Amino acid sequence: MPPSGCSQPSGAMIFASRPVLGPSIFTLGAAAGHVNQMVTAHNFAPGNAGIIFWTDIFIPLFGFALLCLQRRNVGSGAVAVPIPT
């Protein structure tokens, strides 16, 4: 039996990961381009090596972390409780 979490995505999780997967591939590719510019052209401008570079890395990680949490909650039978207004 595999450990719980994101080890084996079910059919529903593969479908749910599509909105995260495409932008993640794009932003991680952009981060690779930023690294290339930093190494080859020594371009450490704020628009290349600043906050844009770090968001290209951390936003996909955050999205996949949320998917893992969703898988754990769906698999455990947890129910979302509405917030009283």
Side-chain angles (χ1 to χ4, degrees), residues 2-85:
S4 64
C6 291
S7 59
Q8 286 186 337
S10 64
M13 282 304 293
I14 291 173
F15 182 73
S17 67
R18 287 181 182 176
V20 176
L21 187 61
S24 295
I25 291 171
F26 176 78
T27 59
L28 290 173
H34 292 305
V35 169
N36 182 28
Q37 284 293 309
M38 286 186 270
V39 171
T40 59
H42 303 290
N43 182 3
F44 291 97
N48 189 52
I51 191 72
I52 298 298
F53 172 68
W54 294 109
T55 56
D56 284 347
I57 294 172
F58 287 120
I59 294 294
L61 294 177
F62 182 69
F64 284 116
L66 289 176
L67 281 174
C68 288
L69 290 174
Q70 179 187 10
R71 176 164 167 80
R72 287 184 187 166
N73 287 338
V74 168
S76 68
V79 177
V81 179
I83 299 173
T85 56

